[in-house]
Amino acid sequence: MTADERVVETDDVRPPGERGRTVISDRVVERIVARAAQETAGSGGLDRSVLGVGLPGRRAARTDVRVHGKVVTAKVAVSVAYPLPVRDVARRVREGVRERVEALTGLTVRQVDIDVAALERPTGRTVS
């Protein structure tokens, strides 16, 4: 038998309606959103703080994600590198989040709200 003459046994393949399903938790989508937001040029995570007192280090972008069936809505809080145009960075974050979530999960992203929580100087200090 040649490669062109291979026979596929159809008894072993289940029809689509009888196959299992994949469930992606909100937490997984939330991590994808945070990673995509931080990977966007000009945006980044936020300073760490407790009760308003700054701590060393940074944390990921703050996210709030809701998955309703196959539709995602997300809120993302990021910092923007000063003096980049905030509107352009927010647009790129929104597009990057939408593209990454849809590509990795197959879900539809209906809305991505961007909150620019801080402006960051190139040295890493927050602009007042």
Side-chain angles (χ1 to χ4, degrees):
M1 180 180 311
T2 65
D4 295 333
E5 297 174 337
R6 289 191 185 131
V7 176
V8 176
E9 294 290 330
T10 57
D11 295 338
D12 296 331
V13 178
R14 293 182 179 193
E18 295 179 17
R19 296 179 191 160
R21 66 180 209 158
T22 302
V23 178
I24 301 171
S25 74
D26 291 11
R27 182 73 177 137
V28 170
V29 178
E30 195 169 278
R31 287 185 179 199
I32 294 169
V33 168
R35 182 69 177 252
Q38 280 187 230
E39 290 177 351
T40 303
S43 71
L46 302 171
D47 287 334
R48 294 176 37 171
S49 65
V50 174
L51 300 173
V53 177
L55 299 173
R58 310 269 301 156
R59 63 184 167 123
R62 199 170 49 236
T63 60
D64 180 24
V65 174
R66 301 284 185 244
V67 180
H68 304 282
K70 294 186 177 191
V71 178
V72 175
T73 57
K75 295 179 185 176
V76 185
V78 296
S79 61
V80 173
Y82 180 80
L84 293 176
V86 172
R87 185 178 297 187
D88 292 344
V89 173
R91 179 185 47 75
R92 286 195 311 268
V93 169
R94 186 175 294 111
E95 290 169 356
V97 165
R98 176 172 280 118
E99 289 171 6
R100 181 70 60 85
V101 169
E102 290 179 352
L104 293 177
T105 67
L107 300 172
T108 302
V109 178
R110 179 178 45 175
Q111 180 175 337
V112 180
D113 293 331
I114 307 296
D115 176 20
V116 177
L119 293 176
E120 295 288 330
R121 294 179 192 239
T123 60
R125 295 182 312 211
T126 303
V127 178
S128 302

